[in-house]
């Protein structure tokens, strides 16, 4: 689909940096679904995701001149989105999300899903699947890595760029995320939904 | 750690295509010989497939339209801000050029009158410089105050 074609052309990047409205509209058309899905996975509330979705594009319009065309545009776009989502989550959970707790994990790592929300409800109804529900219950750092890897099919290096973490951290989160998801699915007795 | 246990720890990442080449080769070699790990990998692959097939939620059309309109407005505001900045830089450079060039031009055009008024070059130049410096400092303070107010207004918006 057209919106899945990444920004690669130098001329396109140059048009964006010049602030060409047509280039921005094409960009919005191309990335709207992916960004919205990523935001939903992060914040889990459609209304909040829509607010941050809007803020993201305004921030992109404001900061596009700081984008370095040598870098991956997608990684830049998703990192702008992520920063806004994380800011929201920090406000929602005012304690420092980065300071390690007694278990050695940061609060951000422990921030749990809180049971099915409107997002999960919609997906479950549409797909009759427990998978989205289980994904929504994972801590945010695992939700986002799984979403970027499997839904957006991003390379691990790009995910590391979006998250601002080393590649090894991305792999660790990916593995733990999958393991936690499997435990949740098995606990629900939903193995038949996904096992071969 | 036995190879079997080591391989089992790699299976989730194998399903995510996140292994190094040598690790991937190890996994492939092992599952050719170990039915238990082969079944385990198949389970991970099925789960990964399920994640890939999750439906993509879409933003509401009115949200996209509103975002598009706001973005175009923001781009226009950014363009105007850049234009204002360019204009300001030009005005500052132009004003300084006039300031620095003003005295020699005034001397050139009114050498006779200056002599008639008995204006000492040194005194007049110092007065002129002090007057200019006062003007610029006042303008700088006013610009700083306006800048702070403008930033506060943008933060509140």
């Amino acid at each position: 689909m057209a919106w899945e074609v990444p920004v690669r052309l130098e001329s396109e990047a140059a048009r964006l940096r010049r602030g060409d409205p047509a280039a921005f509209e094409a960009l919005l058309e191309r990335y709207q679904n992916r960004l919205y899905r990523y935001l939903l996975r992060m914040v889990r509330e459609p209304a909040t995701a829509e607010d941050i979705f809007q803020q993201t594009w305004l921030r992109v319009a404001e900061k596009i001149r700081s984008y370095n065309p040598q870098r991956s545009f997608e990684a830049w776009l998703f990192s702008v989105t992520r920063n806004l989502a994380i800011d929201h989550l920090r406000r929602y959970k005012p304690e420092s999300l980065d300071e390690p707790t007694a278990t050695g994990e940061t609060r951000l790592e422990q921030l749990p899903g809180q049971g099915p929300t409107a997002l999960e409800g919609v997906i479950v109804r549409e797909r009759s699947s427990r998978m989205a529900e289980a994904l929504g219950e994972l801590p945010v750092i695992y939700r986002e890595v799984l979403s970027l890897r499997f839904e957006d099919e991003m390379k691990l290096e790009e995910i590391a760029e979006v998250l601002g973490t080393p590649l090894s951290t991305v792999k660790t989160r990916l593995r733990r995320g999958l393991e936690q998801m499997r435990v949740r699915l098995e606990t629900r007795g939903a193995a038949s939904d996904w096992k071969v | 750690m036995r190879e079997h246990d080591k391989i089992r720890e790699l299976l989730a990442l194998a399903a995510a295509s996140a292994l190094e080449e040598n690790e991937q080769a190890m996994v492939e070699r092992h599952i050719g010989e170990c039915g238990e790990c082969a079944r385990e990998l198949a389970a991970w692959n099925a789960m990964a497939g399920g994640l890939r097939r999750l439906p993509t939620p879409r933003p509401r059309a009115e949200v996209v339209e509103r975002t598009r309109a706001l973005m175009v407005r923001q781009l226009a505001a950014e363009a105007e801000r850049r234009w204002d900045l360019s204009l300001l830089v030009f005005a500052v450079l132009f004003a300084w050029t006039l300031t620095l060039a003003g005295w020699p031009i005034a001397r050139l055009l009114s050498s006779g009158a200056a002599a008639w008024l008995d204006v000492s070059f040194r005194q007049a130049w110092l007065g002129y410089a002090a007057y200019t410096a006062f003007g610029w400092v006042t303008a700088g303070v006013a610009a700083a105050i306006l800048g702070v107010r403008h930033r506060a207004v943008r933060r509140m918006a």
Side-chain angles (χ1 to χ4, degrees):
Chain A
M1 274 183 274
W3 53 268
E4 287 178 336
V5 179
V7 171
R8 288 210 182 91
L9 295 173
E10 210 169 298
S11 61
E12 200 169 1
R15 283 175 63 205
L16 291 170
R17 283 171 60 82
R18 275 203 310 273
D20 179 350
F24 274 88
E25 291 195 23
L27 196 69
L28 173 64
E29 189 68 26
R30 188 179 304 164
Y31 285 103
Q32 56 177 292
N33 294 334
R34 289 177 61 188
L35 279 196
Y36 181 68
R37 176 178 60 197
Y38 175 60
L39 282 168
L40 268 179
R41 299 295 182 233
M42 291 283 286
V43 301
R44 304 182 324 117
E45 289 290 339
T48 309
E50 285 176 0
D51 278 352
I52 304 176
F53 176 81
Q54 199 167 289
Q55 285 175 41
T56 298
W57 289 104
L58 293 180
R59 184 64 60 89
V60 167
E62 188 187 350
K63 301 282 181 193
I64 189 67
R65 291 171 77 85
S66 69
Y67 161 62
N68 175 4
Q70 307 301 318
R71 288 180 59 196
S72 153
F73 179 79
E74 276 188 26
W76 181 79
L77 181 62
F78 275 81
S79 65
V80 169
T81 310
R82 180 179 193 268
N83 288 341
L84 288 168
I86 294 289
D87 283 350
H88 166 80
L89 293 172
R90 282 184 210 281
R91 279 198 299 273
Y92 180 69
K93 276 264 182 191
E95 314 94 294
S96 170
L97 296 174
D98 296 319
E99 286 173 21
T101 59
T103 64
E105 289 183 311
T106 64
R107 290 187 194 281
L108 189 61
E109 286 170 303
Q110 294 177 327
L111 200 63
Q114 295 174 341
T117 63
L119 161 67
E120 286 88 1
V122 169
I123 293 171
V124 168
R125 276 197 301 278
E126 285 179 353
R127 288 255 307 168
S128 302
S129 166
R130 292 175 181 157
M131 188 156 276
E133 204 176 319
L135 177 63
E137 288 179 359
L138 296 180
V140 65
I141 58 163
Y142 301 139
R143 287 203 300 271
E144 67 170 342
V145 169
L146 293 182
S147 177
L148 290 173
R149 181 60 181 161
F150 293 105
E151 296 187 299
D152 280 300
E153 298 185 339
M154 266 194 190
K155 292 178 188 164
L156 297 179
E157 292 79 7
E158 283 183 315
I159 298 175
E161 207 175 329
V162 172
L163 271 53
T165 55
L167 195 59
S168 57
T169 306
V170 173
K171 287 187 179 182
T172 304
R173 290 182 184 179
L174 197 52
R175 184 170 57 79
R176 287 186 187 166
L178 284 168
E179 286 168 354
Q180 286 200 19
M181 179 131 180
R182 185 168 174 177
V183 168
R184 279 172 165 78
L185 286 169
E186 286 177 344
T187 307
R188 287 157 190 271
S192 58
D193 283 356
W194 55 273
K195 274 191 176 173
V196 288
Chain B
M1 190 188 281
R2 288 193 309 144
E3 186 188 69
H4 176 79
D5 298 323
K6 198 175 166 186
I7 295 294
R8 271 186 93 88
E9 286 193 355
L10 295 176
L11 294 179
L13 286 181
S17 310
L19 292 180
E20 301 293 333
E21 271 181 36
N22 60 329
E23 292 173 325
Q24 185 65 35
M26 271 171 58
V27 168
E28 282 171 15
R29 197 171 52 243
H30 181 78
I31 58 169
E33 303 160 353
C34 177
E36 192 186 336
C37 284
R39 282 192 295 279
E40 183 73 0
L41 179 61
W44 284 119
N45 280 334
M47 199 174 86
L51 280 168
R52 288 191 182 97
R53 288 191 299 274
L54 282 177
T56 298
R58 289 161 191 265
R60 288 181 297 139
E62 58 263 37
V63 172
V64 175
E65 273 316 301
R66 192 169 62 230
T67 303
R68 192 191 311 276
L70 285 171
M71 195 169 67
V72 168
R73 204 187 308 166
Q74 171 84 11
L75 285 170
E78 285 295 317
E80 192 181 332
R81 196 182 59 78
R82 281 199 299 276
W83 169 248
D84 288 350
L85 191 66
S86 310
L87 208 61
L88 181 67
V89 169
F90 172 77
V92 167
L93 290 175
F94 184 65
W96 271 107
T97 306
L98 282 185
T99 302
L100 295 174
W103 178 250
I105 291 170
R107 288 277 297 174
L108 188 71
L109 296 179
S110 64
S111 55
W116 182 70
L117 290 169
D118 194 22
V119 177
S120 139
F121 173 81
R122 188 181 165 77
Q123 281 175 352
W125 169 246
L126 284 175
Y128 185 65
Y131 172 76
T132 306
F134 175 74
W136 277 103
V137 168
T138 308
V141 170
I145 291 169
L146 284 173
V148 168
R149 284 175 59 94
H150 179 64
R151 198 170 292 179
V153 168
R154 282 187 69 177
R155 260 204 303 272
M156 282 195 300

